[in-house]
Amino acid sequence: MDKMLAKWQSTALSLFRFITGLLLFQFGVAKILKFPVIPQGNSYAFLNKVELMSLSGAAGAIELILGALLMLGLFTRPVAFILAGEMAFAYFIGHSPRGFFPLINGGTLAILFCFACLYLSTSGGGPYSLDAMMRKKS
């Protein structure tokens, strides 16, 4: 079973990088471009009210730009490292003051994104990335 699944490992890495970037990108789009409009009562409705020149606005700009780079697989290692730091910062500044347990303080996604990006910063973008294409050309 291990040998059968191992041949798909590099493809899964590229897919994992793309989906992680896409999910971070969607948060940036919601914060900066206000799309989609999130209905009141939804736990993410606060994204409708993010101001560009605020800490959340800066986070949105990072998520928008670096999420797009992560989707493309361009400069994957440094981009993922910066995003991991941003997510750790988001957790300790925005979530941990609300309580110790991530399930209660709403920080579960921040922790998951932090460690997903930390993994990508060590593993790279995989074979289906602009980084891999640039390596092949040189």
Side-chain angles (χ1 to χ4, degrees), residues 118-138:
L118 192 60
Y119 173 71
L120 288 171
S121 73
T122 62
S123 63
Y128 303 108
S129 64
L130 290 178
D131 289 339
M133 287 176 55
M134 291 185 338
R135 260 192 319 275
K136 283 181 186 176
K137 285 187 179 183
S138 57

Side-chain angles (χ1 to χ4, degrees), residues 86-127:
E86 183 216 356
M87 291 295 111
F89 185 79
Y91 180 78
F92 287 111
I93 297 298
H95 297 284
S96 68
R98 293 189 227 154
F100 180 75
F101 298 104
L103 194 59
I104 293 170
N105 68 26
T108 304
L109 267 181
I111 294 170
L112 279 171
F113 278 131
C114 178
F115 282 93
C117 289
L118 192 60
Y119 173 71
L120 288 171
S121 73
T122 62
S123 63

Side-chain angles (χ1 to χ4, degrees), residues 14-76:
S14 292
L15 184 61
F16 180 70
R17 173 200 37 86
F18 179 81
I19 295 300
T20 302
L22 178 64
L23 293 174
L24 285 164
F25 181 77
Q26 87 170 344
F27 277 99
V29 168
K31 288 176 186 171
I32 302 300
L33 304 177
K34 311 288 188 232
F35 179 80
V37 176
I38 301 166
Q40 290 301 320
N42 185 301
S43 60
Y44 293 110
F46 72 93
L47 296 176
N48 292 337
K49 298 181 177 125
V50 171
E51 293 185 27
L52 188 58
M53 300 311 254
S54 67
L55 199 55
S56 292
I62 290 169
E63 292 158 2
L64 183 72
I65 296 164
L66 298 187
L69 289 174
L70 203 58
M71 281 193 297
L72 296 171
L74 186 60
F75 309 120
T76 301

